[in-house]
Amino acid sequence: MEHFFMKADHLIQNGEWEEARKLIKDRMNEHPRLHMINTYLSVLASSISGETSSREKALSELSETEAFYKKFKKSEVGGLIAVVKDLNQQVKDGREDCYHSEERQHTNFVELDELNEEQLTKNFQLDFETLLAEIHFWRGILQFQGGNILKGLYNMRKSYNEYKDVYKEISQHMNEPKTSNNFIHSDVIHNAEFGVGSFNFLLGILPPYLLKILSIVGFDVDRERGIEMLRKILNYGGRNKTYSSFMLCVNFLFIPRALVDREKNLREVGPIIENALNVYPKSTLLKFMSSHYERKLGNVEKAIRDLVEAVETCKTSIGIVPYNYLCDLAINYILLLEWEKATTILDELISSKEEFDTRGVCAMMLSVCKEKFGDKQGALDLANSLEKYVSKHSKIDKFALEKINLLKHIKSDEEKHLVMLISTFQLLYLRRDLANLNSERASKLCTYFDEIVQKVNIDEKSKVAGDIKSGIATVQGQLFKSIGKSAEANQAFETALLQEGKIKYEKQWIASSYYEIGEAIYMDQIKDKELDKQTKHDLLVKVKKYFDKCYKISGYPFEEVLISRVRLAIKQVEQEIQQSK
């Protein structure tokens, strides 16, 4: 329906930002969606770079776009229709087809000139309403990224209600024939479905206290429905294909279904990335996600190539420094124990005067690298001045912020070095990088980690001795698990739980250990095993006790990931308990 908008979006998603800017430059103020397309560039740049100033710029542009949007009225879309017809003709004159076969084959796809006047008015009015929802959606996302949860929720709620109203009307007419004045174009349908699907997915992974707030203010969240709708967008295409692909990959790579073999989740991701990259082969978002996929397959070298390609596209075609991608690249080198390459990247990142989302995390990892190369003073300086590097406007850097509190209670330099090392490995654990290593790489990392841990005496009188010990044990448990030493892994997680009453800050290692033990019992003793009903019932009850204890712990960085996972695990186990009676 909107060839010109599709062309602009294709250029953006494929990393050809300068061409997109040239395309819309002279006509940006003729249509609010053109204004929004220009703002998308800043929104995406902010998400890729992680810069605080870039995020503030994007939020400012969203406000400008909203103000521009409000100059138009839903009841007066005739002028907007005329603009789109003219823009479409510009693309057609260039003999370009911006729609792919999947989009054209949809039952509700027609060309713009095939719609009668009433159909045009109805579809453009719905699209006009959807645009306001998009503005509020992306504002909420940026506010979440900046750690401003309440403002993010406020804008998300506005966006949710706007998308919901549009989708409600669309649902009543999406099966109307093409001859009906109530016929809805597939572009309009899938834009609304993307909005509703995104909400159901994103809000379904929030921690319990936020879900309680959401239930009070009127959100009805169904994560599985969200995933189903995002799959529809992926298969259809349209302007939101890349975003849908990205969210689906996040679901299967970072927040996988509980109690499912990791290979099953990875099998879901491969076709999603392949599908999207066939349309957008130079997409940095997709290359970034592809690198995570390859790493979780054990192909760290391929993951590095994908990231290097994404970084190069960002610097040359897009014109931004992708701090988040570079941080990820350094993590890949650490996984390979290639400290020199990691150090080069981290030194460059830390020397930047810009505030970005992972600056504190980068300083933490660089401290470990310096210690590795014998620069003990350089490593110590970073540990002692970590607060200087932590971004105060980042949700991710809350992890590093917690380490500052921990370090305040530590007196010896050796123990400070140890905390930096543990923290780096804990980050790898939380990202599930350790969980997806092959046994050979996991074994090398385990040896390196244990050699350093054994050299340091932990101050038993310290108020954070329990935090440190539980963190060490959790990392060791995951490394043993990746190597294939199940008994040693479970023993390590049990060791972490011994510190439960001695934790001052880092409750996540207790929560994680409860989950890991419960999952291990389920996967090793219940899943695909021939058990009598009573034995299975007793084991399931035991598993649920571990999961319940995990679920009750909150108030730690990235808790939404573990809470989302254990919530699904509890639901599944409860169903199986009922069936085993």
Side-chain angles (χ1 to χ4, degrees):
M1 185 171 80
E2 299 168 333
H3 286 264
F4 187 90
F5 298 157
M6 285 288 289
K7 179 179 179 181
D9 182 76
H10 190 285
L11 291 170
I12 292 169
Q13 302 306 331
N14 206 38
E16 300 169 88
W17 289 21
E18 193 56 41
E19 289 81 356
R21 287 191 181 97
K22 290 177 182 177
L23 181 69
I24 66 174
K25 180 181 178 183
D26 296 332
R27 308 199 64 171
M28 195 176 76
N29 292 322
E30 295 182 36
H31 194 296
R33 188 164 288 285
L34 287 173
H35 209 283
M36 185 62 189
I37 288 172
N38 185 65
T39 300
Y40 273 141
L41 294 171
S42 295
V43 171
L44 290 173
S46 166
S47 298
I48 292 169
S49 71
E51 279 185 41
T52 300
S53 59
S54 179
R55 182 159 49 241
E56 290 170 351
K57 178 177 182 288
L59 286 167
S60 176
E61 289 188 18
L62 282 168
S63 295
E64 292 172 8
T65 299
E66 184 174 5
F68 182 71
Y69 170 92
K70 290 179 178 178
K71 293 180 180 180
F72 298 82
K73 295 180 180 179
K74 174 184 173 182
S75 59
E76 300 172 359
V77 295
L80 299 180
I81 294 171
V83 170
V84 172
K85 284 184 175 181
D86 186 47
L87 292 170
N88 279 359
Q89 193 58 49
Q90 178 181 326
V91 175
K92 289 180 179 179
D93 287 345
R95 299 181 181 277
E96 296 178 80
D97 188 355
C98 298
Y99 286 92
H100 299 279
S101 59
E102 293 89 349
E103 294 152 346
R104 289 189 169 280
Q105 290 168 7
H106 193 278
T107 307
N108 289 57
F109 180 88
V110 294
E111 291 290 357
L112 192 66
D113 54 16
E114 295 178 56
L115 297 173
N116 64 37
E117 187 172 340
E118 288 189 40
Q119 291 173 329
L120 281 169
T121 299
K122 184 175 187 65
N123 279 275
F124 272 79
Q125 285 179 340
L126 290 169
D127 187 62
F128 184 76
E129 291 180 72
T130 301
L131 179 54
L132 184 61
E134 290 176 27
I135 294 170
H136 292 145
F137 175 82
W138 290 111
R139 181 181 291 147
I141 290 291
L142 290 177
Q143 287 167 334
F144 272 131
Q145 289 175 346
N148 200 330
I149 303 299
L150 291 179
K151 282 189 176 181
L153 280 176
Y154 172 73
N155 279 291
M156 283 291 197
R157 183 176 185 273
K158 287 204 292 188
S159 179
Y160 174 78
N161 287 333
E162 290 153 355
Y163 271 125
K164 191 176 179 182
D165 288 344
V166 172
Y167 188 69
K168 182 178 179 181
E169 184 170 352
I170 286 174
S171 298
Q172 296 171 0
H173 303 295
M174 66 170 61
N175 294 320
E176 295 276 353
K178 295 177 181 179
T179 54
S180 168
N181 288 336
N182 289 317
F183 171 77
I184 308 294
H185 195 283
S186 51
D187 281 353
V188 179
I189 292 172
H190 285 91
N191 284 342
E193 286 185 329
F194 170 75
V196 175
S198 297
F199 274 104
N200 277 282
F201 168 65
L202 290 172
L203 299 179
I205 62 174
L206 291 176
Y209 78 95
L210 285 179
L211 287 176
K212 289 179 182 177
I213 296 174
L214 293 177
S215 65
I216 293 171
V217 297
F219 283 108
D220 49 337
V221 177
D222 185 342
R223 180 187 175 197
E224 294 306 311
R225 182 185 179 218
I227 293 171
E228 180 184 342
M229 295 178 89
L230 290 172
R231 282 189 185 277
K232 287 176 67 176
I233 313 302
L234 171 68
N235 294 327
Y236 170 69
R239 294 198 304 268
N240 293 306
K241 185 181 183 77
T242 298
Y243 304 131
S244 297
S245 305
F246 189 87
M247 288 185 192
L248 286 169
C249 288
V250 167
N251 178 66
F252 291 113
L253 290 176
F254 302 106
I255 315 165
R257 284 302 304 262
L259 310 179
V260 175
D261 292 332
R262 70 183 186 90
E263 288 80 8
K264 182 180 185 299
N265 290 307
L266 292 174
R267 286 195 296 272
E268 295 273 6
V269 176
I272 292 171
I273 292 176
E274 183 180 1
N275 181 320
L277 279 174
N278 282 337
V279 180
Y280 304 112
K282 293 186 286 185
S283 168
T284 62
L285 284 176
L286 294 173
K287 284 291 182 181
F288 174 69
M289 202 51 73
S290 177
S291 75
H292 277 279
Y293 168 63
E294 293 294 344
R295 182 159 66 247
K296 285 174 171 52
L297 284 175
N299 303 328
V300 184
E301 291 83 1
K302 175 63 168 62
I304 288 172
R305 290 196 295 273
D306 281 339
L307 268 177
V308 168
E309 188 176 332
V311 168
E312 186 63 23
T313 299
C314 287
K315 289 182 175 179
T316 57
S317 300
I318 297 177
I320 60 174
V321 179
Y323 293 103
N324 287 342
Y325 290 3
L326 287 165
C327 176
D328 219 62
L329 186 57
I331 286 172
N332 276 275
Y333 286 127
I334 288 174
L335 287 171
L336 294 179
L337 296 177
E338 295 186 8
W339 299 103
E340 188 171 352
K341 291 180 180 178
T343 301
T344 300
I345 294 170
L346 293 170
D347 260 327
E348 179 185 343
L349 290 173
I350 292 304
S351 64
S352 171
K353 294 180 180 179
E354 295 290 341
E355 180 182 359
F356 56 94
D357 287 346
T358 55
R359 197 161 188 253
V361 167
C362 288
M364 189 179 73
M365 293 190 293
L366 182 58
S367 176
V368 176
C369 292
K370 286 183 178 293
E371 168 74 7
K372 169 66 179 176
F373 287 117
D375 184 4
K376 293 184 179 294
Q377 189 56 50
L380 188 61
D381 289 344
L382 282 168
N384 288 332
S385 61
L386 186 59
E387 189 169 6
K388 180 178 78 174
Y389 296 99
V390 172
S391 171
K392 305 300 188 296
H393 303 92
S394 164
K395 193 172 186 299
I396 297 173
D397 251 6
K398 285 184 178 179
F399 178 75
L401 191 62
E402 189 178 72
K403 301 303 174 184
I404 295 169
N405 293 325
L406 206 66
L407 288 165
K408 289 177 181 177
H409 296 276
I410 296 173
K411 297 178 181 178
S412 75
D413 293 348
E414 289 77 14
E415 204 167 345
K416 287 180 180 179
H417 289 314
L418 177 64
V419 167
M420 292 293 96
L421 174 75
I422 298 166
S423 300
T424 296
F425 273 75
Q426 287 169 341
L427 182 67
L428 301 179
Y429 169 79
L430 292 172
R431 287 163 45 98
R432 296 189 62 75
D433 290 327
L434 298 183
N436 292 283
L437 289 172
N438 61 41
S439 59
E440 181 182 354
R441 288 210 173 101
S443 182
K444 288 179 180 179
L445 281 170
C446 189
T447 299
Y448 173 77
F449 184 77
D450 285 346
E451 284 177 354
I452 295 178
V453 168
Q454 289 170 13
K455 292 178 183 178
V456 180
N457 292 318
I458 298 171
D459 182 2
E460 296 290 343
K461 296 179 180 179
S462 168
K463 292 181 179 180
V464 294
D467 299 64
I468 296 171
K469 288 181 178 180
S470 64
I472 291 172
T474 303
V475 169
Q476 290 173 326
Q478 181 59 74
L479 287 169
F480 283 135
K481 191 174 175 181
S482 297
I483 294 169
K485 297 181 177 180
S486 300
E488 290 89 339
N490 287 335
Q491 182 58 52
F493 292 127
E494 291 284 4
T495 299
L497 293 182
L498 294 175
Q499 305 301 320
E500 184 169 9
K502 307 170 186 176
I503 300 296
K504 184 171 181 61
Y505 297 111
E506 303 201 319
K507 297 178 285 186
Q508 61 264 48
W509 314 127
I510 304 302
S512 296
S513 294
Y514 273 127
Y515 178 83
E516 295 285 1
I517 294 170
E519 183 184 68
I521 294 170
Y522 182 89
M523 300 299 286
D524 297 340
Q525 301 180 42
I526 301 174
K527 187 176 175 63
D528 299 327
K529 298 291 190 298
E530 292 291 334
L531 303 170
D532 62 75
K533 274 195 170 186
Q534 188 59 50
T535 301
K536 184 174 183 179
H537 179 271
D538 292 345
L539 284 171
L540 286 168
V541 169
K542 184 178 180 181
V543 168
K544 186 176 182 299
K545 286 180 180 178
Y546 280 105
F547 288 160
D548 285 340
K549 288 180 179 180
C550 170
Y551 187 71
K552 290 175 182 176
I553 300 172
S554 63
Y556 51 86
F558 310 133
E559 66 177 297
E560 58 271 22
V561 177
L562 180 57
I563 291 297
S564 174
R565 198 174 184 201
V566 77
R567 188 190 301 124
L568 292 172
I570 290 171
K571 183 179 178 180
Q572 180 176 332
V573 169
E574 285 177 341
Q575 290 173 346
E576 293 190 35
I577 288 174
Q578 289 299 317
Q579 294 168 1
S580 67
K581 287 182 177 179

